[in-house]
Amino acid sequence: MSAYDLVVIGTGPGGYVCAIRAAQLGLKTAVIEKRATHGGTCLNVGCIPSKALLHASELFADARDHFGHLGIEVGTPKIDVAKMMAFKDEGVSGNTKGVEFLLKKNKIDAIHGTARIAAPGQIEVKSEDGSNQVIEAKAIVIATGSVVAPLRGVETDGKVVVTSDEAIALPAVPKKLVVVGAGVIGLELGSVWRRLGAEVTVVEFLDRILPGMDAEVAKQFQRILGKQGFAFKLGTKVTKVETEGGAAKVTIEPAQGEGEAQILEADTVLVATGRIPYTEGLGLDRIGVKLDERGRIETDAHFATNVTGIYAIGDVIAGPMLAHKAEDEGVAVAEMLAGKAGHVNYDVIPSIVYTNPEVAAVGKTEEELKAAGTAYAIGKFPFTANGRAKANGTTDGFVKVLADAATDRVLGVHIVGPHAGDLIAEAAIAMEFGASSEDIARTCHAHPTLAEAVKEAALAVDKRAIHM
Amino acid sequence: MSEEIRADVLVLGGGPGGYVAAIRAGQLGLDTILVEADRPGGTCLLRGCIPSKALIHVAAKFAGMEHAAREPALGIGLSGPPTIDLAATMLWKDGIVDRLSGGVTALLKRAKVRVIRGWGTMRDGKTCEVAEADGSTTTVRAGSVVLATGSEPAALPSLPFGPKILSSTEILSLRERPRRLAVVGAGYIGLELGTVFARLGTQVTVIEAADTILPGFDAELAAPVARWLEAAGVTLHLGTKASGFRETEEGVTLALARGDGSVEELTADLVLVAAGRRPRIGGWGLDGLPIDRDGPFVRVDETCRTSMTGVYAIGDLVGEPLLAHKASAQGEMVAEVIAGRRRRFAPAAIPAICFTEPEIVSVGLSPAEAAARGLKTKVGRFPFAANGRALTLEGGRDGGFVRILANAADHRVIGVQAVGTHISELSAAFVTAIEMGAVLDDVAATIQAHPTLGEAFHEAALAALGHAIHA
């Protein structure tokens, strides 16, 4: 039994990237994964499969709703859910096999089984066949990610009342879908089934959708989703879900104050009220690794837990539950363990909602700036005034640039609109450089691109947009 | 009837250079007149970038449906192959052009720019005579003049434009899909429009005098496009000139002269001549002005001043690259210069995009250009085949990649290029990095959202540093 320099528990985007970076830097590295395939939530049941379904369902909705006026005749398209799922599965397997290949290429030992940290430097792995082995490591990185948060009083059964894990694999289009939670996951998966013909009602406890994102963007986005046929019950809580004969009755009440209960009927109920860190079975309490009040592993600025030699990254620690945040932390902790200076800039982590149109953001929202008492200037530009958006027939939404009122430094960029997820890359790069809105405004943007709207929003900060 | 009016600034030409110059001048409080013979918008908006992108959009959607009908891998089932009603498509496209041109008119009005619709002829460096449609003439006298007359399709002596030999202008308004289309010139205009018609089911043949397609982009970038064209059934005749033609009942028969001296005939219903564009220097009085030239272009300094005091020139008229966004950037700058601000036109990079399938983006120097300048460089490449987002968008199988080029000594990024499906919107991230003076390590340290195509930019920088994660 040889000791490893590093053992990473979990091969989601945080874990496998951490292992690869460590191996690149010469550390003898192993990973432990409970699932049969690598890639974690993101590749297996999260980002990648949902994006594949979003892509396919968007094409279908396009064909059904938007082709006539373009001069394209397609008759009435039909959806074959099984085939769409096969396309998704192909994308997932391509990605997870890719990770397997990368681990091999970097000479990382991949061990399949469930890990329990017996002591600092010692991990017990229980394989599916019941065999046990003990692995020794100078450093352990916990990258076990997160799982779907349960909703109090609501039991999921994986068939009628489901989580995102099953909502990416429904066997047929539900006639009526109730989504509990108007966050990223609920709205993305709600979009998939809405486009395929489901009646979708989204129930949200707060009085707004996309909590945490810029309120103005969320408001506009809600309007757009409304036009697509989404129904919203905001400021509403689910008190009970009863299932009978393959259907559900969802009881809802006003979140605050008195009000009458109402019953929503559904074929499928998607519980998407968030995710919680996953540390079950790791044995953390036994070895004394401290968790915070929300069950997240406490770490210092170097991702070290309070127990020497044990580190943690990704969804299992504080911060946004985003694959790219986990990856960056994985790289940083690997570099630190190899004696280099790793660093994560938490002020510039972009986030994206892959609906149609997309929503993307980086930096501070208006609400955050107000709360912090920062004086700021706003520049906004609508996609209705952008040539490429017009040529593509996708003019819903706008770009909003928030800049420091005194220094003009860009503090946040918020986009609801076509390809917002691609456009946010420019904003993130500019913000990494501490760019001013004038820097973005003076950068030559190609014509005709949607990115010109980012430039115009930057110009609008100084009240001198050209095309508005 | 003749009238004489005065203004601070006269802009001749209402394309993306001219109208932006006029709006910016108006914003800065200058009394501005824009002279334009057509609706505002210029080549770009009326018969170039915008209508072509609208058709590219429709053709891509159509192709997606053909694919779905043939091989319903996405689970979208059609009762039969899709059909195209090109007249309806053109109506949709015309609607977009109308709205955008109308929008520019409104913007000019809001900036208090006076627009005179008519053909302007410069009489001297401060005077322009405008012949209007109703036969009247207006004489405009201005303190500063901005020449923004743009460019026009270059005709080939062997293939004069006619009813069956078209420029990009006419082909963007075809009401019926030709069965066979010959495209002369494999530059970006020829290939973008050739791709549109190939996707709509036209049999497309491309004839190019040079030995490669897309002379503006290097071979590595052009290769995925060449592969796509071949797979789409487009025939390429490289190293071949269209030396003559005769009209027949069937259409047009071209004589194709190869480099080895052999000649072959090719019959098509229509011919698109896309042999480049040349500055529009005739017909508006330039010859009567003592203005220096630079080859076919008007010579300007870095503030877009011509050799004549008070006369500025911008856009396609003043040289390569002939791109709308370069013209707009110069227009914005020239208005500020006229308003007394200290500005010069010195962008670190001007992005160029080719909207073929897959798309190509080029910003800054290519490896060959860097080598020609004697620069020692580090190059990093990352394939879209290893990018999760590309796979979910059915991309990644087209041989696409991102390529980043940096000085070997200090890692300063000097060029970024990419080829791949849906990658045109990455151009802004590339150009921003170069404008900010990024080094490879900066691009590597910037978090890109997952799953996005932009992750390939991050990985390319890592690759140049020797440690890509996903390759």
Side-chain angles (χ1 to χ4, degrees), chain A residues 181-196:
Chain A
V184 176
I185 297 170
L187 296 182
E188 286 186 356
L189 292 175
S191 284
V192 166
W193 298 109
R194 172 72 205 126
R195 293 168 188 170
L196 300 182

Side-chain angles (χ1 to χ4, degrees), chain A residues 382-397 417-418 448-453, chain B residues 50 57 92 96 99-100 425:
Chain A
F383 283 103
T384 45
N386 173 275
R388 186 89 200 278
K390 273 220 158 73
N392 287 356
T394 52
T395 52
D396 276 337
T449 59
L450 300 165
E452 289 173 282
Chain B
I50 295 295
H57 174 71
W92 174 74
I96 290 164
R99 282 202 298 283
L100 282 170
E425 293 300 338

Side-chain angles (χ1 to χ4, degrees), chain B residues 357-369:
Chain B
E357 191 56 48
E359 295 173 337
I360 302 177
V361 168
S362 181
V363 181
L365 299 181
S366 69
E369 287 164 340

Side-chain angles (χ1 to χ4, degrees), chain A residues 16 24 55 62 70 78 354 467, chain B residues 19 61 77 394 451 468 470:
Chain A
Y16 83 74
Q24 284 176 343
H55 172 66
D62 253 4
L70 300 181
K78 284 203 187 69
Y354 289 85
H467 289 89
Chain B
Y19 84 71
K61 296 282 181 192
E394 300 176 90
H470 289 91

Side-chain angles (χ1 to χ4, degrees), chain A residues 219-269:
Chain A
K219 202 168 169 193
Q220 170 87 350
F221 183 51
Q222 189 188 332
R223 216 172 287 145
I224 295 167
L225 290 178
K227 276 197 287 179
Q228 295 174 10
F230 272 81
F232 290 97
K233 301 275 183 193
L234 303 184
T236 301
K237 64 184 172 191
V238 171
T239 54
K240 197 165 55 175
V241 178
E242 291 169 306
T243 57
E244 199 190 311
K249 285 193 161 69
V250 180
T251 310
I252 56 173
E253 282 175 26
Q256 312 289 343
E258 296 294 302
E260 236 166 74
Q262 202 186 332
I263 290 177
L264 302 176
E265 299 198 349
D267 308 295
T268 306
V269 179

Side-chain angles (χ1 to χ4, degrees), chain A residues 160-163 176-180 241 248 250 266-271:
Chain A
V160 177
V161 185
V162 302
T163 69
K176 289 183 176 173
L177 171 69
V178 168
V179 178
V180 186
V241 178
V250 180
D267 308 295
T268 306
V269 179
L270 165 61
V271 177

Side-chain angles (χ1 to χ4, degrees), chain A residues 16 24 42 51 55 62 67 70-71 73 78 80 105 324 354 391-392 426 442 445 447 450-451 465 467-468, chain B residues 19 27 44 57 61 65 75 77 82-83 85 89 92 110 325 332 343 389 394 425 432 450-451 468 470-471:
Chain A
Y16 83 74
Q24 284 176 343
C42 169
K51 260 83 267 176
H55 172 66
D62 253 4
F67 279 0
L70 300 181
E73 285 296 328
K78 284 203 187 69
D80 180 337
K105 184 184 151 195
H324 42 285
Y354 289 85
N392 287 356
E426 173 197 5
R442 294 247 190 252
H445 285 64
H447 179 80
L450 300 165
H467 289 89
M468 195 170 56
Chain B
Y19 84 71
Q27 285 178 342
C44 165
H57 174 71
K61 296 282 181 192
M65 284 301 109
T83 56
D85 176 353
T89 303
W92 174 74
R110 190 171 325 158
H325 44 283
E332 209 184 317
R343 287 290 313 278
R389 181 64 172 151
E394 300 176 90
E425 293 300 338
T432 300
H450 177 78
H470 289 91

Side-chain angles (χ1 to χ4, degrees), chain A residues 426 439-447 455, chain B residues 324-329 345 347-351 363 427-428 431-432 435:
Chain A
E426 173 197 5
D439 285 325
I440 296 177
R442 294 247 190 252
T443 296
C444 191
H445 285 64
H447 179 80
K455 174 196 158 130
Chain B
H325 44 283
K326 182 208 74 174
S328 295
F345 186 71
I350 299 172
V363 181
S427 61
V431 73
T432 300
E435 277 288 351

